[in-house]
Amino acid sequence: MRVALAQVNPTVGDIDGNAAIVAHRYADAVAAGADVVVFPELVLTGYPPEDLLLRREFLERAKSAAEKLVRETITAAATALIGAPTMTGETVFNSAIIASRGKIHAVYHKMCLPNYGVFDEKRYFAHGAKALLLDIDGTLAGVNICEDSWEPDGPHRPLCISGARLILNLSASPYHRGKAGERRKAMASVCCNGRAFFCYTNLVGGQDELVFDGGSFVLNDDGDVIASLPQFVEDMLIADLPLAANGKRRKTSRKGAAAACIVLRTLPDEKPAIPPPAVAPVLSDEDEVLKALVCGTRDYLHKNSFSKALVGVSGGIDSALTAAIAAEALGQKNLTGLVMPGPFSSRETQSDAETLCRNLGIEHHVIPINAAFDVLIRSIQPALGRRPAGITEENLQSRLRGLILMTFSNATGAMVLVTGNKSEAATGYCTLYGDTAGGFAVIKDVPKTLVWKIARRINEQAHRELIPETIIKRVPSAELRPDQKDSDSLPEYGVLDRILKAYIEDGASIAGMAAAGLPEIEVRRTLDLVDGSEYKRRLYPPGVKITPRAFGRDWRRPLTNKYRSSR
């Protein structure tokens, strides 16, 4: 059986554009002699459509587009599996449409609906009740949609018991660090337990805070990867699978066994020769995260009709990394850096900021804020009275920079990219309407210790200092008061990031963290900062999710909340 896995990048809500992507890839697969073409989950609407699914008009447009697509485009003998929402009366399903020769032969409804982390499918969809088996030229293949294959007792089990030699999975699996390995391990267990080959087709591209990494693959019945696509790029995998026709479906009385078997026939034409399928190289941790950030940033801006961006470049590591990612994502000509030295900025940081912009090849402007800061202080002081300088004056500098960035944004139509990292967002070490002002926070989910690693990796890839080494080695400072260091307000980042991972991602207790060797004083201090900063995070722009639990869809704490961890 020749199978094609179409790893594509749809846009949520662009139903006609997504249908055109499906049509184009189907034609390519037919030209390559594919018997089966598998598209990702909800490819026709994009994933996740969220509350668009509550609008009947949206669902009806998706239905009409699917029918037109099949009638006018899916006209060859090759069987297409297309992810789309479907309706039965008032009930909505997450479905796979099985079509060929201009007709819809069957519709499979997803049976296992995820409702954890970033997923809330039970808000929108009803559970499917019947598994589906396809008889394609005598070979039995089962249909799964994403979570169906993650559940140990999912519908893949009765399908394999019924004789399926192949599981075809339509997926929309968002990225986080290490997710690719988790997927392959989970799907390998399906192969080994069911003695079946496995085809996994995943979405690619950014959607709001989520980024889909693709990485579609084929596993043999021993669970070994025999073909795969690279992460973070659109592509199509075409592979000949050594599946002998296995005749009739086995009879079984097992509860939940395949309730439907659709017989499909492909044309016996001689197929064109294709090269052996390749296995894409596995990316390193830093390379994988970097590609996710570039992909998520590019798609967020482009899918929201922005072609240009602005970054406030301070001479610090966070703004340097954000600028480097944006330059790669959008192109050098589409990024502008604003260097905005203030009363406590050093000559070294200003010089490094300008060097960075020259290294990246981006336009930049130097706009000092000293005069504006002095005028505002003199204007406000009579009302506030004479008082020692403190956080008010520090935040005013940050807000002046935010004001200048947003002014440039209004004048040029470019989106402002926020430069804060996860360690800062977690602890509230940021200024509302200052360094949080903007439309997209590129490294919002990147811990500070990982920021340094990715910066070094960028220089390694470039074989030169795109990001000046002096920036990477500099002691972190907001430079809003004399001799300021981040460690004046926060634990050292090496300790802080370990605490944040334990608390946010692993759900560890204070006692558990202390038992793991983390200093209890710093643990309690950090948790107080995290628990007291939810109001700031709610006002933070969206950013690319790269950890298993990111602020936003993964983290839903009440704003008004007196609970604090005590043990």
Side-chain angles (χ1 to χ4, degrees):
M1 183 185 293
R2 182 167 292 181
V3 177
L5 309 186
Q7 181 171 292
V8 297
N9 184 356
T11 299
V12 166
D14 185 11
I15 295 172
D16 291 339
N18 298 339
I21 291 172
V22 172
H24 172 71
R25 287 297 186 178
Y26 180 78
D28 288 347
V30 169
D35 299 307
V36 179
V37 190
V38 188
F39 291 92
E41 177 181 13
L42 292 183
V43 66
L44 199 58
T45 58
Y47 188 96
E50 300 185 277
D51 279 9
L52 292 174
L53 292 163
L54 303 179
R55 297 185 63 84
R56 188 170 187 86
E57 177 195 7
F58 178 78
L59 295 167
E60 288 173 347
R61 283 181 59 186
K63 178 177 183 290
S64 297
E67 291 171 348
K68 180 181 178 182
L69 176 68
V70 171
R71 184 175 61 251
E72 297 181 0
T73 306
I74 312 299
T75 55
T79 300
L81 281 68
I82 305 166
T86 62
M87 292 182 294
T88 300
E90 297 297 317
T91 305
V92 181
F93 297 97
N94 182 343
S95 304
I97 295 171
I98 291 84
S100 67
R101 305 178 192 271
K103 295 181 180 180
I104 295 175
H105 303 293
V107 178
Y108 168 71
H109 303 318
K110 186 175 182 178
M111 297 175 72
C112 300
L113 301 177
N115 218 59
Y116 56 85
V118 301
F119 304 105
D120 49 9
E121 291 195 18
K122 292 181 181 179
R123 174 179 171 87
Y124 307 108
F125 299 118
H127 292 271
K130 296 180 180 179
L132 179 65
L133 200 61
L134 307 178
D135 179 336
I136 304 173
D137 291 334
T139 297
L140 298 182
V143 181
N144 274 190
I145 300 177
C146 204
E147 192 77 7
D148 289 338
S149 297
W150 287 85
E151 290 287 341
D153 290 319
H156 55 86
R157 294 194 67 184
L159 288 168
C160 291
I161 290 171
S162 295
R165 291 281 292 118
L166 172 66
I167 300 296
L168 302 170
N169 187 297
L170 300 77
S171 188
S173 180
Y175 167 78
H176 64 242
R177 294 171 73 187
K179 186 72 173 286
E182 294 171 15
R183 287 192 203 108
R184 291 185 179 184
K185 182 178 179 181
M187 302 312 127
S189 68
V190 175
C191 299
C192 296
N193 293 332
R195 306 311 305 170
F197 280 65
F198 194 97
C199 291
Y200 185 92
T201 309
N202 193 25
L203 275 179
V204 68
Q207 170 58 33
D208 294 347
E209 294 191 297
L210 302 181
V211 63
F212 298 88
D213 59 318
S216 305
F217 55 82
V218 178
L219 306 179
N220 64 18
D221 53 7
D222 288 323
D224 300 320
V225 179
I226 59 173
S228 64
L229 290 175
Q231 293 174 280
F232 306 107
V233 295
E234 289 190 272
D235 205 344
M236 186 157 65
L237 187 159
I238 300 176
D240 288 330
L241 306 186
L243 302 173
N246 54 342
K248 296 181 180 179
R249 168 188 169 195
R250 297 176 196 153
K251 292 183 179 180
T252 174
S253 59
R254 182 182 176 89
K255 183 180 179 181
C261 184
I262 306 299
V263 179
L264 302 166
R265 291 289 177 261
T266 61
L267 292 174
D269 295 344
E270 185 175 337
K271 296 184 172 102
I274 60 172
V279 176
V282 176
L283 297 173
S284 69
D285 182 51
E286 288 85 357
D287 285 350
E288 188 182 80
V289 172
L290 181 55
K291 284 184 177 292
L293 295 169
V294 169
C295 178
T297 300
R298 179 190 296 122
D299 274 3
Y300 187 80
L301 268 73
H302 287 174
K303 290 182 179 181
N304 285 290
S305 301
F306 283 86
S307 60
K308 296 180 180 295
L310 294 162
V311 177
V313 184
S314 67
I317 188 65
D318 297 322
S319 63
L321 178 58
T322 301
I325 290 166
E328 174 67 21
L330 307 174
Q332 299 165 314
K333 295 181 179 180
N334 295 315
L335 181 66
T336 300
L338 299 187
V339 182
M340 298 170 283
F344 304 105
S345 300
S346 67
R347 284 193 295 270
E348 291 79 13
T349 54
Q350 182 176 337
S351 174
D352 280 347
E354 295 186 63
T355 299
L356 171 77
C357 293
R358 288 192 292 269
N359 289 355
L360 294 176
I362 65 173
E363 177 186 357
H364 73 281
H365 304 280
V366 179
I367 306 173
I369 66 168
N370 299 47
F373 177 73
D374 291 340
V375 168
L376 281 170
I377 288 296
R378 287 198 301 271
S379 299
I380 295 170
Q381 195 171 58
L384 291 180
R386 302 192 68 85
R387 37 184 287 286
I391 193 69
T392 302
E393 288 72 20
E394 292 179 31
N395 285 344
L396 179 56
Q397 296 167 66
S398 181
R399 291 189 177 112
L400 276 170
R401 294 183 174 115
L403 174 66
I404 293 168
L405 284 163
M406 292 309 300
T407 300
F408 263 75
S409 177
N410 290 155
T412 64
M415 179 179 284
V416 175
L417 301 179
V418 172
T419 62
N421 61 61
K422 185 170 188 174
S423 308
E424 294 171 345
T427 55
Y429 193 60
C430 51
T431 302
L432 288 181
Y433 320 114
D435 56 349
T436 61
F440 194 68
V442 174
I443 60 171
K444 172 185 178 179
D445 198 36
V446 182
K448 184 75 169 193
T449 48
L450 183 57
V451 167
W452 280 305
K453 291 179 182 179
I454 298 173
R456 292 191 182 281
R457 181 57 182 154
I458 286 174
N459 286 350
E460 289 174 3
Q461 290 179 338
H463 303 292
R464 64 189 182 96
E465 284 189 19
L466 277 181
I467 298 175
E469 187 68 16
T470 47
I471 289 180
I472 296 174
K473 290 183 175 180
R474 178 169 291 118
V475 174
S477 170
E479 290 194 328
L480 299 174
R481 64 174 184 263
D483 302 319
Q484 184 181 22
K485 300 187 297 294
D486 288 6
S487 57
D488 298 336
S489 304
L490 301 171
E492 294 290 345
Y493 282 115
V495 173
L496 176 63
D497 283 355
R498 289 176 59 203
I499 295 171
L500 293 175
K501 181 183 183 301
Y503 183 51
I504 297 165
E505 298 177 29
D506 303 333
S509 65
I510 294 174
M513 285 184 265
L518 291 166
E520 186 172 338
I521 292 176
E522 298 290 29
V523 168
R524 291 185 179 276
R525 177 188 175 196
T526 299
L527 267 54
D528 284 342
L529 291 170
V530 173
D531 292 342
S533 300
E534 186 63 28
Y535 73 101
K536 286 190 176 183
R537 289 190 291 272
R538 290 288 184 95
L539 294 173
Y540 221 90
V544 183
K545 169 184 164 66
I546 63 105
T547 66
R549 196 173 190 201
F551 296 122
R553 296 173 64 94
D554 283 325
W555 176 274
R556 306 182 190 186
R557 292 291 186 94
L559 284 168
T560 306
N561 171 22
K562 290 292 186 181
Y563 178 80
R564 296 293 182 268
S565 300
S566 59
R567 56 189 174 85

